[in-house]
C-alpha cells in the first residue's frame, strides 16, 4: 500500500485534475464511497474486484440511477478505505481507486499497476452556446497504449487519434473506411488490458486522443456522468468481465449457425417456395429464408408499417410457413419501427397513442426515403404492447425469427419526443430497447423458444437481449470485404460476438464471382452465414453459374460439418462472454506488431484464419502465433510457432490453420440442423510435439430450449491429451446435466501428424484395430453412456 501511495503522490503532481475541484469529505454508505467536493459529489461503487463504477453528480443536479447497459448486481466485495493526510485509497485484492485530495485527482489501479486516471474529470462546456456537446469527462492516457472500441467502425484496429461521433447512423455502400456506422458504443478498451465504459445513452463523441496530447475525452449533450472501469488479467478475461457487467448473449438456436437464403427481396409465396426447392434439389444445406419488405407490400415506398401479409402475393402464409418448417427451414421476416401515414396501421397507431410526438403531444410526422412517417415509441408501455402484439400474432402463425431494420433509427428528428426523453437522448438506445422488447416478449409469451433477433443498430449490452448484429449496407466490392474482419473483431471484443456481414456484399451492381466466392469462404469462419444483396445480382448460391455454385456448395457443407465446434463456441460466448472471432493480440497481448492487425484472426481458440480480400491473390503472408505449431486445415502442412511465412493461396479455400494440440469435433454433411446428431461424429486431434498436453470440449443440447445449460438439459464432452516420448494418452469424459438423457455415441478419432505407425493402440486397456496413412491415425471409439474413455497410442 505504501508503494501505491508513493506512486500516486508522484502521479498527481504530473496529472493534476480540475484545479477548481476541492476535496471536502468522504463516507462509505453500503459499500459505496461517497466523496463530497466543492462542485458536487462522487459515488464510487464496486461491482467486483475487477469492475468499479464512478458517478459524478454536479451540485444542483438530481441523481439518475437508470442504466440501459448494466445488468450485473454489485457483489459484496471486500473493499477497504485507507487514508493519509492527502490520499484516500478505496481498494480490493484487485482493482483500487486512489483519490489525491489536493490537487484533486482520481486514479485507477489493478493489482498495484496503474490503469488510467481522470485528467480534468467532469467539465461542463459551452453552457451558453448552441454548440454540442456540453459535458465532458477527461482521462490521461499513456503515450504507447492502443485504443479500441466505440462500436462498429472501419478505421483500422487501433482507433487512437480519432474523434468519433456517438450517433447510430447507416453508411450506405461503405468500403474500406467508415467513421460512423450503425452501432455507437461508448466503450474504450486499451492495450493495457482495461476498459472504460461510459454509461449514458445520449448522443455525443468519443475523442481517442485526436489532439495527440495523451487525452481520452467522452463528450455528451446530457445525462449521467457515470462510467465503469473494467480490469482483466488477459484480453479473454477483460471481455468476459465486460460482458458480465452488461450481460451475456443468450445461447442462440443451433439453426442460426446454418445457411440463410436471403435477398432484397422475395416478392411472392411462389418465389419463396421455388427458391428453397432449388436448395433441396441442389443438395445445398439451408436452415432459414429471410423475407424482405415485399412480404407486406408490393412497392418499396408507401407500404412500410403495414406489418401484415400482402395477401395478393402471399395468399396463404400459414401454409407456406408450415411447408417450409416441414422441410427444416425457418421463416424470418423483416420489420421496421416506422409507421407510414399511408400504411394500413397508421390510424390505429394514432388512436392508440403509440408514436413519438411533437412538443404538443401530437404524432411527430416527417418524410424520409420510404414515405411520410411516424415512429413507434418503444419507450412507452403502450407502444411496446402495441408493437409486441404484432410480433406475437405472426409468431403464432409460425414465423421463426425476426429482422429488425432501420433501428438507428434511420431518421429520427431531434425535435421529436419519446416517453423517455428527447430524440437525441434516446437515439442510440432505440434499437437496443426494441430488441429488449422482443426478447422480453418471447420470455413472457413463448418461454420455450430461443428468439432470433437480427438487428442493424444497438448499444452497450444489446447482446444481453439476444441481438444478432450485422455490419449494414456494405458495398459489394473488394473494398467492402476488406473492412469486414475489423468490424467483426472489434464488435466481438465489445460483447457483440455475432457481428457479421451480408456475405457477397449488399450495395451496388458490381458482379464478380471471385469476390463472391472469397466472401463466402470467409463466411465459414465468422458468426452468421447469410448471403444477402440487392436484386441486381443474385445473392443465393442456387442462382449462380454451375462452377460458382459448386465452389460455394463446398464452403456451406464445411460450415455444417463444423457445427459441433461452432456450437461449442456459441456456448462459450453465452457462458463466459468470449468472442467467436478473436484478434491475434488475444494470443500475444504484449506483441506490439499485432495491436493493429486484423489480416488474420482466431476463430475460437483453435483456428487461425486469413481471409483473402483482394482480387487475384496467389500468395499471402501469415504470422503463426508463438504458443503452438499450426497445421494447414486442408493439407496438414506444419508451420512453426512464432514464424511469419509466405503462403500459397488456393482458389478453393482461404488459408486456415489448426492449433497444435487442438480437438476439433465435426459431423458429416446434413441438409439442415433438424438432421443434427452426435450419434456418429469425427473427432480430429492435432498432435504436436511442441504441445505435450492440451484440452478441448464439445457442448451439446437440443439446440432449441432456452437456458438449457442452466436447466441441466445438456452434456459436455471433455477431451484431453498428454504425450511423452513413447505414448500419447487421450481421454474423453462426459458431464451430463441433471435432466439430459445422454446416449451412446460412435466416434471416429482422427489423430493428425503421427509420423510413424503406432506399435499398439488401446481403448480402456483393450487392444483395438486402427488405420493409418501418411500423416493420420484412425481409431473407432464407442462412447458408452456414463463411461469415460482412455485411448493410449504407443509409438
Amino acid at each position: 500500500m505504501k508503494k501505491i501511495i508513493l506512486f500516486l503522490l508522484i502521479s498527481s503532481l504530473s496529472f493534476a485534475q480540475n484545479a477548481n475541484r476541492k476535496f471536502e469529505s468522504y463516507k462509505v454508505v453500503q459499500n459505496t464511497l461517497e466523496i463530497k467536493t466543492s462542485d458536487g459529489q462522487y459515488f464510487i461503487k464496486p461491482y467486483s474486484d475487477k469492475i468499479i463504477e464512478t458517478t459524478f453528480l454536479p451540485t444542483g443536479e438530481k441523481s439518475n440511477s437508470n442504466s440501459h447497459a448494466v445488468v450485473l448486481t454489485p457483489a459484496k466485495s471486500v473493499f477497504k478505505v485507507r487514508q493519509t493526510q492527502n490520499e484516500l485509497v478505496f481498494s480490493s485484492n484487485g482493482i483500487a481507486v486512489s483519490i489525491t485530495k489536493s490537487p484533486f485527482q482520481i486514479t485507477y489501479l489493478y493489482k498495484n499497476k496503474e490503469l488510467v486516471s481522470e485528467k480534468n474529470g467532469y467539465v461542463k462546456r459551452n453552457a451558453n452556446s448552441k454548440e454540442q456537446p456540453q459535458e465532458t469527462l477527461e482521462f490521461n492516457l499513456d503515450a504507447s497504449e492502443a485504443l479500441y472500441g466505440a462500436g462498429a467502425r472501419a478505421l483500422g484496429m487501433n482507433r487512437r487519434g480519432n474523434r468519433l461521433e456517438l450517433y447510430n447512423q447507416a453508411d450506405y455502400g461503405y468500403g474500406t473506411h467508415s467513421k460512423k456506422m450503425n452501432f455507437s458504443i461508448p466503450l474504450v478498451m486499451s492495450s493495457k488490458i482495461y476498459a472504460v465504459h461510459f454509461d449514458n445513452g445520449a448522443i455525443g463523441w468519443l475523442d481517442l486522443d485526436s489532439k495527440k496530447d495523451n487525452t481520452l475525452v467522452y463528450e455528451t449533450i446530457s445525462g449521467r456522468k457515470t462510467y465503469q472501469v473494467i480490469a482483466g488479467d488477459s484480453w479473454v478475461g477483460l471481455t468476459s468481465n465486460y460482458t458480465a457487467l452488461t450481460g451475456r448473449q443468450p445461447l442462440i438456436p443451433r439453426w442460426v449457425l446454418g445457411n440463410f437464403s436471403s435477398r432484397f427481396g422475395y416478392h411472392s409465396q411462389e418465389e419463396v417456395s421455388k427458391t428453397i426447392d432449388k436448395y433441396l434439389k441442389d443438395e445445398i444445406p439451408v436452415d432459414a429464408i429471410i423475407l424482405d419488405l415485399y412480404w407486406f407490400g408490393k412497392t418499396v415506398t408507401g407500404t412500410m408499417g403495414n406489418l401484415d401479409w400482402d395477401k395478393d402475393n402471399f395468399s396463404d402464409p400459414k401454409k407456406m410457413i408450415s411447408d417450409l418448417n416441414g422441410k427444416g427451414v425457418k421463416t424470418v421476416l423483416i420489420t421496421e419501427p416506422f409507421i407510414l401515414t399511408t400504411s394500413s396501421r397508421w390510424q390505429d397507431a394514432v388512436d392508440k397513442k403509440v408514436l413519438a410526438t411533437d412538443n404538443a403531444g401530437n404524432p411527430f410526422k416527417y418524410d424520409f426515403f420510404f414515405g411520410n412517417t411516424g415512429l413507434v415509441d418503444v419507450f412507452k408501455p403502450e407502444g411496446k404492447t402495441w408493437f409486441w402484439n404484432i410480433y406475437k400474432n405472426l409468431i403464432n402463425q409460425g414465423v421463426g425469427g425476426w429482422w429488425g431494420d432501420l433501428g438507428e433509427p434511420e431518421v429520427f428528428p431531434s425535435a421529436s419526443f419519446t416517453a423517455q426523453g428527447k430524440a437525441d437522448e434516446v437515439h442510440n438506445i432505440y434499437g437496443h430497447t426494441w430488441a429488449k422488447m422482443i426478447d422480453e416478449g418471447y420470455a413472457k409469451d413463448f418461454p420455450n423458444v430461443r428468439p432470433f433477433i437480427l438487428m442493424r443498430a444497438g448499444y452497450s449490452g444489446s447482446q444481453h437481449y439476444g441481438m444478432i448484429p450485422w455490419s449494414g449496407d456494405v458495398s459489394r466490392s473488394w473494398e467492402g470485404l476488406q473492412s469486414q474482419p475489423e468490424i467483426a473483431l472489434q464488435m466481438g471484443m465489445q460483447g457483440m460476438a455475432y457481428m457479421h456481414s451480408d456475405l457477397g456484399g449488399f450495395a451496388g451492381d458490381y458482379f464478380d464471382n471471385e469476390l463472391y466466392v472469397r466472401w463466402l469462404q470467409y463466411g465459414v469462419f465468422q458468426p452468421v452465414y447469410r448471403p444477402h444483396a440487392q436484386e441486381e445480382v443474385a445473392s443465393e448460391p442456387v442462382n449462380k453459374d454451375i462452377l460458382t455454385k459448386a465452389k460455394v456448395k463446398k464452403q456451406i457443407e464445411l460450415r455444417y460439418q463444423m457445427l459441433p465446434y461452432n456450437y461449442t463456441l456459441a456456448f462459450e460466448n453465452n457462458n463466459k462472454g468470449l468472442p467467436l472471432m478473436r484478434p491475434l493480440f488475444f494470443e500475444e497481448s504484449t506483441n506490439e506488431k499485432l495491436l493493429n492487425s486484423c489480416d488474420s484472426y482466431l476463430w475460437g481458440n483453435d483456428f487461425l484464419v486469413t481471409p483473402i480480400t483482394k482480387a487475384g491473390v496467389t500468395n499471402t503472408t501469415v504470422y503463426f502465433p508463438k504458443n503452438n505449431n499450426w497445421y494447414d486445415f486442408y493439407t496438414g502442412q506444419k508451420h512453426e510457432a512464432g514464424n511469419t511465412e509466405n503462403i500459397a493461396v488456393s482458389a478453393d479455400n482461404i488459408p486456415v490453420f489448426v492449433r497444435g494440440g487442438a480437438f476439433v469435433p465435426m459431423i458429416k454433411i446434413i441438409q439442415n440442423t433438424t438432421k443434427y446428431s452426435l450419434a456418429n461424429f469425427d473427432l480430429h486431434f492435432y498432435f504436436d510435439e511442441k504441445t505435450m498436453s492440451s484440452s478441448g470440449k464439445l457442448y451439446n443440447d437440443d439446440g432449441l430450449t432456452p437456458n438449457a445449460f442452466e436447466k441441466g438439459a445438456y452434456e459436455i464432452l471433455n477431451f484431453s491429451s498428454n504425450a511423452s516420448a513413447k505414448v500419447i494418452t487421450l481421454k474423453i469424459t462426459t458431464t451430463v446435466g441433471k435432466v439430459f438423457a445422454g446416449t451412446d455415441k460412435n466416434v471416429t478419432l482422427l489423430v493428425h501428424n503421427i509420423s510413424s505407425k503406432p506399435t499398439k493402440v488401446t481403448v480402456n486397456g483393450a487392444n483395438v484395430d486402427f488405420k493409418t496413412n501418411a500423416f493420420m491415425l484412425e481409431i473407432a471409439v464407442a462412447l458408452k453412456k456414463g463411461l469415460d474413455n482412455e485411448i493410449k497410442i504407443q509409438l
Side-chain angles (χ1 to χ4, degrees):
M1 183 56 68
K2 289 181 180 178
K3 289 181 179 178
I4 295 177
I5 293 171
L6 177 61
F7 169 79
L8 292 169
L9 180 61
I10 297 169
S11 178
S12 69
L13 298 176
S14 304
F15 301 115
Q17 202 168 304
N18 190 328
N20 297 319
R21 186 163 295 133
K22 307 297 183 186
F23 177 91
E24 294 186 355
S25 62
Y26 85 92
K27 60 183 176 179
V28 177
V29 180
Q30 296 180 337
N31 212 35
T32 297
L33 178 65
E34 298 183 6
I35 300 171
K36 185 177 180 182
T37 68
S38 53
D39 59 345
Q41 283 182 286
Y42 279 92
F43 299 88
I44 301 176
K45 177 173 68 176
Y47 280 85
S48 71
D49 62 357
K50 294 179 175 65
I51 306 170
I52 198 156
E53 176 182 279
T54 297
T55 297
F56 183 70
L57 187 65
T59 300
E61 285 196 15
K62 292 183 179 179
S63 177
N64 175 10
S65 60
N66 184 26
S67 171
H68 301 286
V70 172
V71 299
L72 184 65
T73 301
K76 293 181 180 178
S77 308
V78 179
F79 269 73
K80 299 176 182 178
V81 178
R82 298 192 184 185
Q83 184 176 201
T84 65
Q85 184 175 352
N86 199 40
E87 299 284 339
L88 189 66
V89 179
F90 191 44
S91 65
S92 68
N93 290 331
I95 207 161
V97 187
S98 174
I99 298 92
T100 304
K101 298 178 183 178
S102 181
F104 189 82
Q105 176 73 46
I106 297 180
T107 303
Y108 299 89
L109 304 97
Y110 180 64
K111 295 183 177 178
N112 297 343
K113 178 183 175 183
E114 183 182 3
L115 299 177
V116 68
S117 61
E118 286 195 357
K119 193 169 190 175
N120 285 318
Y122 170 74
V123 177
K124 190 162 188 175
R125 296 177 176 171
N126 306 321
N128 299 314
S129 167
K130 293 182 179 179
E131 261 187 67
Q132 290 184 345
Q134 296 180 346
E135 299 180 274
T136 65
L137 292 166
E138 293 187 7
F139 298 81
N140 293 298
L141 295 170
D142 278 358
S144 62
E145 59 191 303
L147 300 178
Y148 312 94
R153 324 264 174 171
L155 299 167
M157 283 296 286
N158 182 2
R159 295 177 171 178
R160 187 166 182 164
N162 289 284
R163 182 172 179 261
L164 302 172
E165 188 173 5
L166 296 171
Y167 189 88
N168 289 355
Q169 189 170 49
D171 186 358
Y172 180 83
Y174 70 91
T176 56
H177 185 85
S178 183
K179 203 166 185 179
K180 182 168 62 172
M181 293 178 67
N182 314 74
F183 288 84
S184 296
I185 296 178
L187 173 70
V188 180
M189 307 183 96
S190 166
S191 57
K192 291 170 62 178
I193 320 292
Y194 73 86
V196 183
H197 174 248
F198 299 97
D199 194 0
N200 180 28
I203 65 172
W205 296 80
L206 265 180
D207 190 326
L208 307 181
D209 194 30
S210 68
K211 296 178 182 177
K212 304 198 182 307
D213 59 355
N214 297 327
T215 306
L216 165 67
V217 188
Y218 169 69
E219 312 168 42
T220 184
I221 59 167
S222 65
R224 307 174 79 213
K225 275 65 71 175
T226 297
Y227 62 89
Q228 294 91 24
V229 175
I230 305 117
D233 296 305
S234 64
W235 275 107
V236 164
L238 180 63
T239 305
S240 183
N241 295 337
Y242 170 72
T243 54
L245 178 71
T246 58
R248 299 272 163 77
Q249 182 104 22
L251 185 55
I252 57 172
R254 186 158 43 225
W255 63 264
V256 174
L257 293 170
N259 177 35
F260 287 74
S261 179
S262 183
R263 63 152 56 203
F264 179 33
Y266 300 110
H267 291 258
S268 68
Q269 185 168 329
E270 182 183 23
E271 188 178 359
V272 169
S273 298
K274 284 184 174 179
T275 300
I276 292 302
D277 286 344
K278 286 182 182 178
Y279 280 92
L280 300 178
K281 178 177 177 292
D282 291 334
E283 297 182 330
I284 296 178
V286 64
D287 259 272
I289 187 165
I290 300 182
L291 277 61
D292 212 316
L293 46 77
Y294 296 118
W295 76 271
F296 57 70
K298 298 176 184 64
T299 58
V300 172
T301 59
T303 61
M304 189 171 287
N306 286 343
L307 295 173
D308 199 2
W309 297 98
D310 172 19
K311 291 299 176 65
D312 292 336
N313 289 321
F314 294 87
S315 58
D316 194 348
K318 284 187 179 180
K319 182 179 186 304
M320 178 189 76
I321 294 169
S322 177
D323 289 347
L324 289 170
N325 283 337
K327 297 169 182 176
V329 177
K330 297 285 191 295
T331 303
V332 178
L333 300 184
I334 194 172
T335 57
E336 302 90 356
F338 296 95
I339 311 298
L340 299 192
T341 56
T342 53
S343 74
S344 59
R345 292 191 188 269
W346 170 256
Q347 194 56 50
D348 186 53
V350 172
D351 293 344
K352 300 283 177 57
K353 300 183 185 301
V354 300
L355 301 171
T357 65
D358 59 23
N359 58 9
N362 301 311
F364 193 98
K365 296 184 289 184
Y366 52 97
D367 293 324
F368 78 142
F369 175 80
F370 298 95
N372 185 253
T373 194
L375 180 72
V376 178
D377 186 351
V378 295
F379 304 99
K380 188 177 186 180
E382 296 86 345
K384 284 192 280 190
T385 299
W386 182 86
F387 209 9
W388 169 247
N389 282 337
I390 293 171
Y391 287 101
K392 183 177 178 180
N393 177 54
L394 290 162
I395 296 167
N396 283 326
Q397 293 178 31
V399 173
W402 299 103
W403 172 11
D405 202 11
L406 314 183
E408 293 78 23
E410 170 101 359
V411 179
F412 195 15
S414 298
S416 56
F417 291 81
T418 71
Q420 199 159 295
K422 297 177 181 178
D424 288 349
E425 294 173 330
V426 300
H427 177 95
N428 287 347
I429 57 172
Y430 187 93
H432 174 87
T433 307
W434 181 16
K436 181 180 180 182
M437 177 201 82
I438 297 173
D439 182 66
E440 291 178 344
Y442 268 93
K444 176 178 176 290
D445 293 322
F446 304 97
N448 297 319
V449 179
R450 295 184 196 174
F452 172 69
I453 307 170
L454 174 70
M455 284 199 169
R456 187 173 90 170
Y459 175 70
S460 312
S462 288
Q463 73 277 353
H464 184 59
Y465 303 109
M467 184 186 287
I468 306 290
W470 94 96
S471 60
D473 296 335
V474 58
S475 165
R476 187 190 294 135
S477 66
W478 290 101
E479 291 78 14
L481 173 57
Q482 285 159 26
S483 60
Q484 296 313 303
E486 175 199 338
I487 294 168
L489 289 167
Q490 286 273 355
M491 289 293 279
M493 292 167 63
Q494 297 173 69
M496 304 205 69
Y498 289 93
M499 172 57 81
H500 65 286
S501 62
D502 291 342
L503 298 182
F506 176 78
D509 58 4
Y510 181 70
F511 180 77
D512 185 335
N513 278 334
E514 183 189 4
L515 169 67
Y516 179 78
V517 170
R518 288 302 192 198
W519 210 316
L520 270 66
Q521 289 171 346
Y522 159 67
V524 175
F525 301 94
Q526 52 89 69
V528 176
Y529 203 91
R530 189 182 56 82
H532 182 67
Q534 289 178 326
E535 290 184 283
E536 290 86 351
V537 180
S539 57
E540 308 95 336
V542 293
N543 291 321
K544 295 294 184 181
D545 64 86
I546 294 174
L547 183 59
T548 303
K549 183 194 298 186
K551 287 181 177 178
V552 171
K553 180 181 180 181
K554 288 185 180 299
Q555 301 304 310
I556 296 171
E557 289 174 342
L558 175 58
R559 176 76 175 187
Y560 276 77
Q561 288 177 278
M562 290 186 62
L563 276 169
Y565 179 86
N566 292 348
Y567 193 58
T568 303
L569 295 188
F571 168 71
E572 289 182 336
N573 170 256
N574 163 250
N575 203 240
K576 299 179 182 177
L578 305 186
L580 283 70
M581 291 173 65
R582 302 168 194 176
L584 293 190
F585 57 72
F586 269 47
E587 183 85 359
E588 297 181 28
S589 61
T590 60
N591 187 340
E592 292 185 3
K593 294 179 180 178
L594 299 180
L595 294 180
N596 199 33
S597 172
C598 57
D599 293 335
S600 297
Y601 62 88
L602 297 170
W603 175 240
N605 184 65
D606 294 325
F607 283 85
L608 173 66
V609 181
T610 302
I612 299 302
T613 61
K614 294 181 181 178
V617 172
T618 57
N619 57 79
T620 190
T621 300
V622 177
Y623 171 71
F624 295 95
K626 66 181 181 181
N627 294 325
N628 307 84
N629 293 321
W630 296 84
Y631 297 86
D632 190 297
F633 184 49
Y634 301 102
T635 69
Q637 182 181 350
K638 177 182 173 180
H639 298 275
E640 295 283 347
N643 282 356
T644 299
E645 297 182 35
N646 190 267
I647 302 295
V649 174
S650 166
D652 295 331
N653 49 67
I654 59 175
V656 178
F657 309 91
V658 186
R659 182 191 300 274
F663 291 89
V664 180
M666 299 179 71
I667 59 170
K668 304 303 181 188
I669 298 163
I670 55 178
Q671 183 60 42
N672 56 59
T673 56
T674 64
K675 309 297 183 185
Y676 183 85
S677 171
L678 292 178
N680 298 277
F681 72 92
D682 296 337
L683 179 61
H684 296 261
F685 171 63
Y686 286 80
F687 173 68
D688 174 32
E689 70 275 9
K690 182 179 172 65
T691 310
M692 303 310 290
S693 64
S694 65
S695 62
K697 65 172 175 281
L698 192 171
Y699 174 81
N700 186 43
D701 60 23
D702 67 5
L704 297 169
T705 301
N707 302 310
F709 177 73
E710 292 79 1
K711 293 172 181 175
Y714 71 92
E715 63 179 348
I716 297 176
L717 277 64
N718 299 288
F719 315 122
S720 66
S721 76
N722 281 282
S724 65
K726 296 292 185 181
V727 180
I728 301 169
T729 302
L730 305 177
K731 293 183 179 180
I732 305 175
T733 62
T734 304
T735 302
V736 181
K738 60 184 178 181
V739 298
F740 190 85
T743 58
D744 294 348
K745 297 174 176 63
N746 294 309
V747 179
T748 301
L749 177 61
L750 300 164
V751 183
H752 296 251
N753 314 314
I754 299 293
S755 57
S756 59
K757 185 176 180 179
T759 58
K760 184 170 68 171
V761 174
T762 62
V763 177
N764 295 333
N767 290 348
V768 296
D769 294 333
F770 57 89
K771 299 177 184 177
T772 59
N773 60 30
F775 295 104
M776 191 161 62
L777 168 66
E778 181 179 325
I779 308 166
V781 180
L783 298 185
K784 296 297 182 182
K785 179 180 175 182
L787 297 179
D788 296 340
N789 286 264
E790 182 178 78
I791 302 97
K792 285 186 176 291
I793 303 166
Q794 295 191 13
L795 303 175

